[in-house]
C-alpha cells in the first residue's frame, strides 16, 4: 500500500509518498481502508521533530514515521474478539492519541475499536476525517472530559464548566478546527457566543451560531467586551493573557494551545485556568456523531489534497488562517 512517511525531521518537503506493508491487526482492532485523513497540529509537530517541546523532555523518534491520527474509512477486516463493528462498516476516529502510532496518512490503518465510532450518515468521509481531534478537544474541554488523567501541562485533572443558558462564552481563533466546534458546542448548550477571528470568517461563524463577532485585525476583544463567563483560546501563545481582562471574576480561561499565565495575576482576578491533552475516545465520538446527524454540528473544510500531495497540504497548514480543517483524500 501507499503511505506518507518521513525519514528525518524537517519542513513539509521531508514528507514522502512511499510503498509500505499493509498493517496487521491485533486483538481489539479492525483494518480500515482509509478514505480520508485530517491534518492536525501534532502531525507537523511530529514532522518537525517535536521541537515544540523542551529538549530535555523531547521523545526519541525512530524513523521512518507515518504521521496522522484522524481518519474516516471502511472496515476491511475484524479481529476475532471485536464486537460492534463488521466488514463494510463506515467508521471514523482519532487513533492512539496521545502518541505517535496513529499512522493514518495511509491507504490502510490498523485501528483500535475503542477509538472508533460509526461514521454519521449525514456527513461524508472528508467531513468525518476533518472532525475527530478538533471536535474531541472541544468536547473534552466543554462537555465531558471522559477520563481522570491529569493534564501534562498543569498536573491537574480538568473539570468542564457546566455551560447553561445565559452564560457568555468567547472563542478566540473561532474559525479554526477546535474553534469552530467550540462555537457550536457552546451554542448547543445555550450560551451567548462571541467569536473572535479575522473579518473574512464572519459569515462562516455567524452561520455556525455565533451571536457576536469581533474582527481581531481591527478591534481588541478587551476593548469590546467584558464580564465573559468562559474564554476558549484556540490560538494560545505569549499574548494569551490579554484575554484575562474580558473575563468576569470567577470566570474560566481554557487555553487550547501552549500558553502561560501568571498565577498571581489569575488569583488576583479570581480566574481559573485549566487545560487538557485530548485523548482518543470512540464512545464520545458516537455521541458527537448523533449531533452531526441531527444537524446540530457542521464541519468546516478549508481545503482538500490527494494523499500524494501531503507536502502541499502541510505547506497550506503552515500559512495559517485556516477555516475549519485541511483534509487528505485517499479514496477519490
Amino acid at each position: 500500500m501507499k503511505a506518507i512517511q518521513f525519514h528525518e525531521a524537517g519542513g513539509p518537503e521531508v514528507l514522502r509518498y512511499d510503498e509500505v506493508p499493509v498493517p496487521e491487526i491485533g486483538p481489539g482492532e479492525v483494518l480500515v481502508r482509509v478514505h480520508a485523513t485530517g491534518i492536525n497540529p501534532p502531525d507537523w509537530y511530529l514532522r518537525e521533530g517535536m521541537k515544540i517541546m523542551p529538549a530535555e523532555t523531547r521523545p526519541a523518534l525512530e524513523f521512518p514515521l507515518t504521521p496522522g491520527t484522524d481518519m474516516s474509512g471502511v472496515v476491511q477486516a475484524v479481529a476475532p474478539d471485536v464486537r460492534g463493528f463488521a466488514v463494510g462498516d463506515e467508521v471514523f476516529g482519532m487513533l492512539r492519541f496521545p502518541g505517535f502510532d496513529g499512522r493514518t496518512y495511509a491507504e490502510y490503518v490498523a485501528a483500535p475499536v475503542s477509538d472508533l465510532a460509526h461514521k454519521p450518515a449525514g456527513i461524508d468521509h472528508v467531513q468525518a476525517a476533518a472532525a475527530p481531534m478538533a471536535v474531541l478537544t472541544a468536547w473534552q474541554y466543554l462537555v465531558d472530559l471522559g477520563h481522570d488523567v491529569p493534564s501534562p501541562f498543569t498536573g491537574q485533572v480538568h473539570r468542564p464548566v457546566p455551560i447553561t443558558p445565559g452564560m457568555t462564552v468567547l472563542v478566540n481563533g473561532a474559525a479554526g478546527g477546535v474553534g469552530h466546534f467550540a462555537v457550536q458546542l457552546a451554542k448547543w448548550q445555550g450560551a451567548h457566543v462571541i467569536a473572535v477571528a479575522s473579518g473574512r470568517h464572519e459569515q462562516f461563524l455567524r452561520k455556525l451560531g455565533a451571536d457576536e463577532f469581533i474582527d481581531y485585525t481591527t478591534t481588541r476583544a478587551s476593548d469590546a467586551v467584558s464580564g465573559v463567563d468562559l474564554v476558549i483560546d484556540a490560538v494560545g501563545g505569549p499574548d494569551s493573557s490579554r484575554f484575562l481582562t474580558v473575563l468576569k471574576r470567577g470566570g474560566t480561561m481554557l487555553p487550547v494551545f501552549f500558553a502561560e499565565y501568571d498565577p498571581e495575576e489569575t488569583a488576583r482576578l479570581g480566574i481559573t485556568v485549566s487545560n487538557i491533552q485530548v485523548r482518543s475516545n470512540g464512545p464520545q465520538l458516537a455521541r458527537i456523531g448523533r449531533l452531526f446527524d441531527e444537524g446540530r454540528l457542521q464541519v468546516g473544510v478549508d481545503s482538500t489534497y490527494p494523499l500524494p500531495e501531503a507536502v502541499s497540504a502541510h505547506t497550506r497548514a503552515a500559512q495559517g488562517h485556516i477555516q475549519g480543517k485541511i483534509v487528505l483524500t485517499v479514496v477519490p
Side-chain angles (χ1 to χ4, degrees):
M1 71 170 189
K2 293 294 188 178
I4 297 297
Q5 293 190 130
F6 56 99
H7 297 252
E8 60 180 337
E13 70 281 355
V14 302
L15 299 174
R16 290 169 37 176
Y17 189 55
D18 288 342
E19 184 73 30
V20 301
V22 174
E24 297 182 359
I25 58 173
E29 295 181 348
V30 298
L31 182 69
V32 179
R33 176 69 163 103
V34 178
H35 282 231
T37 179
I39 291 179
N40 294 292
D43 302 350
W44 60 81
Y45 299 157
L46 180 63
R47 188 205 72 224
E48 293 169 348
M50 300 305 292
K51 292 189 302 182
I52 196 168
M53 298 177 65
E56 63 274 12
T57 61
R58 203 171 294 162
L61 302 178
E62 295 185 9
F63 300 105
L65 286 167
T66 294
T69 59
D70 284 4
M71 65 91 224
S72 182
V74 178
V75 175
Q76 301 295 298
V78 179
D81 64 333
V82 166
R83 302 291 180 269
F85 293 91
V87 171
D89 285 354
E90 294 185 321
V91 294
F92 75 132
M94 177 179 74
L95 307 186
R96 308 178 193 275
F97 196 83
F100 308 124
D101 295 323
R103 302 175 184 172
T104 60
Y105 286 25
E107 292 181 325
Y108 293 89
V109 68
V113 293
S114 59
D115 297 350
L116 295 178
H118 290 93
K119 183 184 75 65
I123 58 177
D124 61 25
H125 283 293
V126 167
Q127 294 168 317
M133 180 172 284
V135 76
L136 281 172
T137 300
W139 185 270
Q140 290 174 14
Y141 263 112
L142 298 176
V143 182
D144 175 24
L145 181 61
H147 62 79
D148 58 1
V149 180
S151 164
F153 311 112
T154 64
Q156 303 295 316
V157 178
H158 172 71
R159 304 296 180 195
V161 176
I163 296 177
T164 55
M167 286 180 63
T168 300
V169 174
L170 182 146
V171 182
N172 182 41
V178 175
H180 86 291
F181 285 124
V183 166
Q184 295 176 80
L185 289 175
K187 189 66 181 176
W188 169 61
Q189 295 178 94
H192 178 88
V193 179
I194 303 170
V196 180
S198 64
R200 72 186 187 90
H201 300 301
E202 180 172 2
Q203 291 308 310
F204 169 68
L205 289 165
R206 288 196 181 277
K207 287 179 181 178
L208 296 182
D211 298 288
E212 297 182 48
F213 178 82
I214 297 174
D215 180 351
Y216 74 86
T217 68
T218 61
T219 306
R220 289 176 59 90
S222 56
D223 294 335
V225 296
S226 60
V228 171
D229 295 282
L230 180 68
V231 169
I232 305 152
D233 184 5
V235 177
D239 297 327
S240 297
S241 59
R242 70 191 186 279
F243 286 97
L244 293 176
T245 58
V246 310
L247 283 161
K248 71 177 186 182
R249 187 166 190 83
T252 302
M253 166 66 72
L254 303 179
V256 175
F257 292 107
F258 301 100
E260 293 184 5
Y261 298 88
D262 182 347
E264 292 185 1
E265 182 182 16
T266 56
R268 178 176 58 82
L269 296 171
I271 290 168
T272 299
V273 178
S274 185
N275 62 21
I276 67 166
Q277 183 176 53
V278 64
R279 304 183 81 85
S280 299
N281 193 310
Q284 286 184 340
L285 277 179
R287 291 174 61 191
I288 293 166
R290 290 191 283 273
L291 296 181
F292 283 121
D293 277 335
E294 293 167 1
R296 297 177 184 272
L297 281 181
Q298 300 177 46
V299 186
V301 176
D302 177 271
S303 50
T304 63
Y305 296 82
L307 183 65
E309 297 179 19
V311 170
S312 296
H314 274 233
T315 301
R316 168 68 189 100
Q319 294 168 353
H321 302 286
I322 295 166
Q323 184 170 285
K325 295 293 296 298
I326 301 170
V327 177
L328 294 171
T329 56
V330 184
V331 174

